[in-house]
Amino acid sequence: MNALEILLVEDNAADAKLTIIALQEANVSNKIVLLRDGNEALEYIFGSIEDRVPKVIFLDLKMPKVNGNEVLAKLKQDGRTRKIPVVMFTSSQEPRDIKECFDLGANSYLVKPVDYDDFSKVVKSMGQYWTLHNITVD
Amino acid sequence: MEYLNHYRKFFEISNNLLCVANTDSYFLKVNPYFSELLGYSQQELTNRRFTDFIHPEDVGITLIEVEKLSKGIKVINFINRYRCKDGIYKSLEWTATPDVDQSEIFAVARDVTEELLQKREIEELNQSLKNSLDEMESFSYSVSHDLRAPVRAIHGFSRIISEKHGSSLNSEAQDLLKIIYEESSRMGKLIDDLLSFSRLGKKALQLTMVPMKELAQEAVNEVLRLNQIEPRPNIKIANLPDAYCDRSLVQQVLVNLISNAFKFSHDKPHIEVEIGYTENDSLIDYFVRDNGVGFDMLYYDKLFGIFQRLHSQEKFGGIGIGLANVQKIINRLGGEVWAVSQINEGATFYFSLPSSANNGRLYNKSYKK
């Protein structure tokens, strides 16, 4: 069993905090690692890959330095990380962004609701789905 | 012989260019208007090849037309530029017919310089108008998009404070927090509606023949499912003819108009809603009529504006974007929206849609002009 449960890649501090609170409320995990941009995410995962395979990655799309879709592409191209479920978690509802993420191999695409009650609901259900059942993807 | 004199008169007074030329590119005879328009004497015009007067960029295309004429093919509405004596170029639109046996060309031209300039000006104005509209759309889109995260933070943290720390706040602080929570929720809805409004203009249309009666019934069912209305409204749906449109967008229109009809009739003892139509030539006018509070025609010009409301929010709810969406959708589909009402006498909302693909294209074409 890995020590790490959920990797959250999010540059917006408020969104990160809200996501962590919702995940903790749902008891899905107390092992959440927060990374602030795509570059940090890549360094973290590929820096020491053996110890750092999370059950699920929540990945923001629009971030400074390295965008979410670039991180997604690298994760899905590498045999060691390909099976980690990746949930895109973003404000963008652009059909172009959604298509691109699925084309790159995203396992889910969630639009962050403005309403916190809805936001908390989707985070909880997504977190539970991907962590409780120990799902890996092909 | 008398007619020849008559014809000569026409030749002399015409304020179009009239000429006879040969296929070696020489004018044989030109009417007086040539000199008037271009500034050369008749002799200057006939002494040189006419290609010497033509803008260098247009000589090639002109020779192609002359070639056609020498093979007996007529030329219609061909435009090239002639240099006047003062150096200015005029755009001339030619219609010419050949006499192959004699190797002669009979040609008429009119000066379209001003016309083309005006046309270009209009095109440029249209383009800049379109650019500023696009800019405005993408501005409102990105502003509302960027507002989502801060509003979510206000809404989320006010909720979390009241859940986790509510017990340590006095009742006034709790009330104020509740206001922050509710107002940020309203702002979130405004932002989402604004975003979906600006996305409406971008969505690719899927045009097919749509069974409107079926669609109206579905829309009624959906509105009834989402709203508990007692006593049950009395809804009449006429035998609506099919329309050529985008099904999911028109579904939104119907849901909007039907829920408005219910909403603005809720204080009546019994809600009556009628969905009907009247047929025009190529467009069908559909309508949704209710027996509700109606509206004052004095404020008609605000009816379809974005975030405009004609009734208080306390009494009727909503943020005033529904009819703006309706209008945007119907206009995109080539139709129009209008309404009639009297205060307390109900309201009727009309929208028109093309009755077939053919009519849709025709209408859209003239609409774009």
Side-chain angles (χ1 to χ4, degrees):
Chain A
M1 185 66 156
N2 286 306
L4 177 61
E5 300 272 337
I6 295 176
L7 192 64
L8 174 62
V9 189
E10 173 65 74
D11 66 309
N12 182 309
D15 276 353
K17 181 120 190 141
L18 290 174
T19 309
I20 290 169
I21 291 173
L23 287 169
Q24 286 169 344
E25 275 177 7
N27 289 324
V28 286
S29 174
N30 50 11
K31 295 161 201 153
I32 302 163
V33 171
L34 170 65
L35 302 168
R36 289 310 175 81
D37 63 51
N39 200 33
E40 273 189 27
L42 291 175
E43 280 177 9
Y44 181 87
I45 298 165
F46 291 104
S48 171
I49 199 156
E50 287 72 24
D51 325 321
R52 290 177 177 176
V53 176
K55 281 188 178 175
V56 59
I57 299 174
F58 276 72
L59 183 58
D60 190 14
L61 192 54
K62 307 265 157 77
M63 290 184 294
K65 294 184 203 164
V66 180
N67 250 330
N69 49 8
E70 294 170 64
V71 176
L72 174 66
K74 292 224 165 78
L75 287 169
K76 292 300 177 186
Q77 278 159 13
D78 194 310
R80 296 168 298 175
T81 51
R82 195 167 44 82
K83 291 190 172 185
I84 308 169
V86 179
V87 177
M88 302 308 295
F89 195 44
T90 167
S91 286
S92 172
Q93 308 179 49
E94 288 293 300
R96 203 184 30 207
D97 286 337
I98 299 172
K99 183 177 184 307
E100 195 194 355
C101 287
F102 280 118
D103 285 348
L104 290 173
N107 302 98
S108 190
Y109 189 102
L110 279 184
V111 176
K112 293 173 186 166
V114 183
D115 187 285
Y116 176 69
D117 299 338
D118 298 335
F119 179 91
S120 158
K121 245 180 253 165
V122 298
V123 169
K124 284 172 183 168
S125 60
M126 233 351 115
Q128 281 166 341
Y129 179 76
W130 289 110
T131 54
L132 295 182
H133 306 291
N134 235 346
I135 301 165
T136 57
V137 291
D138 283 311
Chain B
M1 282 319 273
E2 207 176 310
Y3 332 97
L4 274 183
N5 273 332
H6 285 166
Y7 285 136
R8 187 169 299 124
K9 269 271 178 293
F10 283 128
F11 191 75
E12 278 161 11
I13 65 164
S14 169
N15 54 5
N16 280 329
L17 302 168
L18 306 175
C19 67
V20 185
N22 63 22
T23 47
D24 296 328
S25 305
Y26 279 95
F27 288 124
L28 303 175
K29 195 163 175 45
V30 294
N31 73 339
Y33 191 64
F34 261 89
S35 303
E36 200 178 309
L37 185 72
L38 303 175
Y40 303 102
S41 70
Q42 303 236 344
Q43 218 173 7
E44 283 172 309
L45 286 161
T46 48
N47 275 350
R48 294 154 69 184
R49 282 176 196 274
F50 56 68
T51 44
D52 288 354
F53 301 100
I54 294 172
H55 193 292
E57 286 172 13
D58 294 351
V59 171
I61 50 171
T62 305
L63 290 176
I64 293 172
E65 298 301 309
V66 173
E67 175 75 18
K68 280 190 202 161
L69 284 160
S70 68
K71 289 179 184 156
I73 302 165
K74 280 188 190 171
V75 167
I76 296 167
N77 300 341
F78 166 71
I79 297 176
N80 61 9
R81 286 165 290 175
Y82 267 67
R83 192 182 57 255
C84 300
K85 194 148 190 181
D86 58 11
I88 289 171
Y89 282 93
K90 299 257 184 206
S91 296
L92 305 179
E93 185 183 70
W94 295 90
T95 295
T97 189
D99 180 340
V100 180
D101 296 340
Q102 306 288 324
S103 300
E104 283 178 347
I105 298 166
F106 296 82
V108 187
R110 63 190 187 96
D111 177 11
V112 292
T113 316
E114 275 301 302
E115 223 171 276
L116 289 182
L117 271 178
Q118 281 172 8
K119 206 173 141 196
R120 193 171 319 138
E121 245 169 61
I122 290 171
E123 277 165 10
E124 280 168 10
L125 281 174
N126 273 338
Q127 192 52 46
S128 76
L129 199 65
K130 199 182 163 295
N131 290 348
S132 34
L133 267 177
D134 286 351
E135 244 171 59
M136 215 168 74
E137 281 220 351
S138 66
F139 173 78
S140 72
Y141 184 84
S142 59
V143 166
S144 42
H145 188 264
D146 293 350
L147 283 175
R148 295 178 95 241
V151 172
R152 177 167 52 244
I154 297 168
H155 190 246
F157 291 124
S158 61
R159 175 56 168 257
I160 291 164
I161 293 172
S162 94
E163 273 177 7
K164 288 195 178 165
H165 311 285
S167 53
S168 56
L169 296 172
N170 67 25
S171 72
E172 191 196 359
Q174 284 181 16
D175 285 349
L176 296 178
L177 202 55
K178 191 164 167 250
I179 293 172
I180 297 177
Y181 176 75
E182 284 170 358
E183 289 300 299
S184 57
S185 166
R186 196 160 75 87
M187 187 166 174
K189 283 198 187 75
L190 279 168
I191 289 168
D192 277 348
D193 284 347
L194 196 59
L195 275 171
S196 64
F197 179 76
S198 75
R199 258 199 306 273
L200 270 185
K202 293 188 199 158
K203 182 184 179 281
L205 296 179
Q206 292 184 317
L207 298 172
T208 51
M209 287 306 294
V210 173
M212 292 292 286
K213 186 174 184 187
E214 191 185 306
L215 201 65
Q217 189 59 58
E218 281 173 23
V220 166
N221 294 345
E222 189 180 331
V223 178
L224 286 176
R225 190 168 53 79
L226 295 174
N227 303 278
Q228 302 302 321
I229 302 165
E230 289 301 332
R232 251 183 116 68
N234 185 17
I235 301 153
K236 263 193 286 183
I237 304 178
N239 222 351
L240 305 175
D242 298 357
Y244 183 70
C245 60
D246 181 302
R247 187 178 178 124
S248 72
L249 287 180
V250 174
Q251 169 89 352
Q252 281 187 50
V253 167
L254 284 164
V255 165
N256 243 303
L257 294 180
I258 294 163
S259 41
N260 273 355
F262 291 167
K263 182 159 80 181
F264 293 106
S265 311
H266 76 62
D267 54 358
K268 298 277 161 175
H270 204 99
I271 299 178
E272 305 271 346
V273 172
E274 184 189 349
I275 304 170
Y277 73 99
T278 55
E279 243 165 310
N280 264 330
D281 286 348
S282 54
L283 293 175
I284 305 164
D285 299 340
Y286 299 92
F287 65 80
V288 177
R289 178 173 293 149
D290 64 55
N291 64 335
V293 293
F295 59 86
D296 190 340
M297 291 294 275
L298 195 59
Y299 302 110
Y300 184 81
D301 57 341
K302 292 195 167 177
L303 195 60
F304 295 99
I306 189 163
F307 299 137
Q308 297 281 0
R309 307 174 43 86
L310 299 190
H311 297 280
S312 77
Q313 189 166 22
E314 283 70 35
K315 199 165 173 205
F316 289 106
I319 56 173
I321 201 166
L323 289 177
N325 279 336
V326 166
Q327 184 172 52
K328 192 161 183 171
I329 291 171
I330 295 298
N331 286 351
R332 271 202 81 191
L333 296 171
E336 281 178 63
V337 186
W338 67 102
V340 287
S341 178
Q342 260 184 302
I343 296 174
N344 281 324
E345 300 279 320
T348 307
F349 282 85
Y350 294 89
F351 60 95
S352 55
L353 288 172
S355 57
S356 71
N358 221 10
N359 289 332
R361 268 200 298 277
L362 280 175
Y363 191 84
N364 277 327
K365 223 173 171 182
S366 60
Y367 180 74
K368 269 183 198 153
K369 274 182 194 165

